Amino acid sequence: MAGMIVIYKQPADAQAFDRHYFETHIPLAKKIPGLKKYEVSQGPITVLAGPSDVYLIGTLHFDDLDAMKKGFASPEGKAAGADRRLYAPDESGVQIFIFDSREV
């Protein structure tokens, strides 16, 4: 499996973020070819030291890195990427990690 973890910092307007993320972005992203599963965090996000400035974590799953690359190169993948830049325009509000994984 390959994964993409997208970590969003606390937005200035959480209601506007949620509305756009859940009503617009997720439906766009779910059309990406090869996407196997899309998960989002629920409730407050903490670290061992206590509260954090992380608002939401999205995790996307693909069969492998090649499938992910092809998915994001598709028109649907490009549309989802462009949409993400509407509500998280630069790296100050979002971190994205891409990785391959194996079950142990």
Side-chain angles (χ1 to χ4, degrees):
M1 280 306 253
M4 173 184 281
I5 295 178
V6 185
I7 301 172
Y8 296 99
K9 302 273 182 155
Q10 181 67 44
D13 184 339
Q15 287 182 329
F17 176 94
D18 285 351
R19 187 170 42 257
H20 186 93
Y21 188 77
F22 288 99
E23 294 175 12
T24 303
H25 187 71
I26 289 177
L28 280 173
K30 284 186 152 190
K31 294 178 183 176
I32 297 172
L35 178 67
K36 296 296 183 186
K37 183 167 61 167
Y38 194 134
E39 300 172 307
V40 296
S41 59
Q42 182 174 339
I45 297 168
T46 60
V47 294
L48 293 178
S52 76
D53 64 347
V54 174
Y55 180 69
L56 184 131
I57 299 172
T59 307
L60 290 78
H61 300 270
F62 294 83
D63 282 336
D64 53 39
L65 290 173
D66 190 49
M68 183 187 298
K69 182 178 175 181
K70 287 178 183 174
F72 279 101
S74 72
E76 297 86 353
K78 290 177 182 178
D83 181 68
R84 193 273 301 164
R85 289 188 267 308
L86 293 176
Y87 63 89
D90 59 45
E91 303 309 310
S92 67
V94 64
Q95 291 181 296
I96 300 172
F97 300 92
I98 297 170
F99 56 93
D100 211 352
S101 64
R102 62 187 168 104
E103 193 169 330
V104 294

